[in-house]
Amino acid sequence: MQIELNGERIETGAASLDALVEERGHDAGSVATALDGAFVPRPLRAAAMLRDGARVEILSPMQGG
Amino acid sequence: MFYGTDLSSRLMLGTAQYPSPQVLSQAIAASGAEVITVSLRREGREGGAFRDILKAAGRRILPNTAGCHSVKEAVTTAHMARELFGTPWIKLEVIGHADTLQPDPFALLEAARILCGEGFEVFPYTTEDLVLGERLIEAGCRVLMPWGAPIGSGQGLRNIEGLRSMRAHFPGIPLVIDAGIGAPSQAALAMEMGYDAVLLNTAVARALDPAAMARAFADAVAAGRAAHRAGLMPRRDMAAASTPVFGMADLA
């Protein structure tokens, strides 16, 4: 299935958001996630199913002012 | 007190634009800042190193919603930040203008109302507008952060009289000058005027020697605060001799 992750189209075998976080090699506790523009809290990632064309954001702490 | 937290350092430091992670660490240490601001972004190349720096620095984190232009973006970013950093604190920025990066007051107020209602402790990036300040407080904000000047401009306090009015108008509310500070003298002035803290980033990050500049700002903020507490003399239009005339010799 093809999804858009952080603005880039990628191919993924992950069915859910938590599987995608793991597939991309992220530590589940050090990222925050959104699906189609809506925040998905950590405990709800497993139930957040991906579909073709889904827009996913996986965000990390970064420099800021 | 910032939402019940007392800070001994009144300098808050941004973590962006430093020439290297090492320099950032040194600047944080030299600043003595107890609060540092961070953002949420798609992870770049130095993401891991940055997390290590945050951990090692051991400072209180104030996540921001920088770059957000709508209520929805800002509120969603705040939710993500609360989960990631485990803090109810959020520096709420809703940008309204591309050139000045001044806040969109209408979206800011709406986002503040939503977030305060959800238990966030909101630090709104605002202007010196008194009515907007009052509305933000009605919405639940217990801190206001007026700009000194446009973000990253280094112009200092562009509307000193307006900022004086704001200080006088909100005697019981912690006020932080956020954005536009370019030099330690400007930070000292804000503190002398009775502001509770100063938040800055570019002036330190873009200095030739960021750690040394961070120290200079720490000294300036401490001096300005001490001066405010000591009570500044009233300004006069005319001279007033400080040396007594009594006892002066007749040498004419």
Side-chain angles (χ1 to χ4, degrees):
Chain A
M1 146 170 72
Q2 285 220 331
I3 63 163
E4 197 175 298
L5 172 60
N6 290 356
E8 279 182 36
R9 286 200 73 79
I10 64 151
E11 184 69 35
T12 179
S16 65
L17 193 51
D18 73 330
L20 179 69
V21 168
E22 194 181 330
E23 183 188 273
R24 303 302 290 185
H26 293 291
D27 170 24
S30 58
V31 293
T33 52
L35 175 58
D36 294 325
F39 170 54
V40 179
R42 209 173 293 149
L44 300 184
R45 284 179 199 158
M49 306 313 286
L50 302 180
R51 46 158 190 78
D52 207 45
R55 286 184 303 117
V56 176
E57 294 285 345
I58 300 180
L59 303 186
S60 304
M62 296 298 285
Q63 294 85 341
Chain B
M1 295 283 269
F2 302 83
Y3 291 101
T5 297
D6 216 354
L7 302 174
S8 50
S9 165
R10 297 312 183 98
L11 175 59
M12 302 179 181
L13 191 65
T15 57
Q17 299 185 321
Y18 291 80
S20 73
Q22 291 71 29
V23 173
L24 168 60
S25 289
Q26 291 161 4
I28 293 171
S31 73
E34 290 165 68
V35 175
I36 56 177
T37 60
V38 301
S39 71
L40 270 187
R41 289 289 183 265
R42 295 165 174 173
E43 185 158 327
R45 277 179 298 123
E46 287 171 345
F50 184 65
R51 276 197 298 280
D52 293 342
I53 288 173
L54 292 188
K55 210 174 207 177
R59 310 300 163 111
R60 187 175 289 269
I61 301 288
L62 176 57
N64 70 26
T65 62
C68 292
H69 284 74
S70 71
V71 173
K72 178 175 182 288
E73 281 178 295
V75 168
T76 302
T77 302
H79 286 152
M80 296 173 91
R82 179 163 65 177
E83 179 185 74
L84 201 44
F85 298 106
T87 174
W89 281 19
I90 189 76
K91 178 185 165 185
L92 182 60
E93 291 182 38
V94 189
I95 300 300
H97 193 274
D99 290 334
T100 61
L101 297 180
Q102 72 188 88
D104 174 338
F106 310 100
L108 175 68
L109 181 58
E110 193 182 336
R113 196 174 284 134
I114 293 168
L115 293 172
C116 290
E118 293 176 344
F120 281 89
E121 295 175 349
V122 176
F123 292 66
Y125 162 63
T126 183
T127 67
E128 64 275 32
D129 190 294
L130 301 183
V131 179
L132 176 56
E134 284 184 354
R135 295 285 186 275
L136 287 166
I137 290 166
E138 284 166 20
C141 296
R142 294 292 169 263
V143 173
L144 296 175
M145 302 214 294
W147 65 348
I151 295 172
S153 70
Q155 294 175 14
L157 308 183
R158 215 156 69 152
N159 180 3
I160 291 179
E161 295 312 322
L163 290 167
R164 272 193 216 288
S165 299
M166 189 172 196
R167 179 67 285 180
H169 193 73
F170 297 106
I173 297 288
L175 298 180
V176 182
I177 294 288
D178 175 16
I181 296 284
S185 54
Q186 299 159 354
L189 175 59
M191 298 304 293
E192 286 171 1
M193 286 162 57
Y195 275 78
D196 294 282
V198 169
L199 197 168
L200 55 94
N201 189 152
T202 310
V204 167
R206 293 289 198 222
L208 211 51
D209 182 341
M213 188 60 80
R215 200 167 299 116
F217 269 105
D219 290 346
V221 166
R225 181 166 163 78
H228 176 71
R229 292 165 77 117
L232 292 153
M233 65 164 277
R235 202 185 140 107
R236 299 173 59 106
D237 288 337
M238 302 296 285
S242 48
T243 303
V245 176
F246 178 78
M248 189 170 170
D250 182 1
L251 302 172

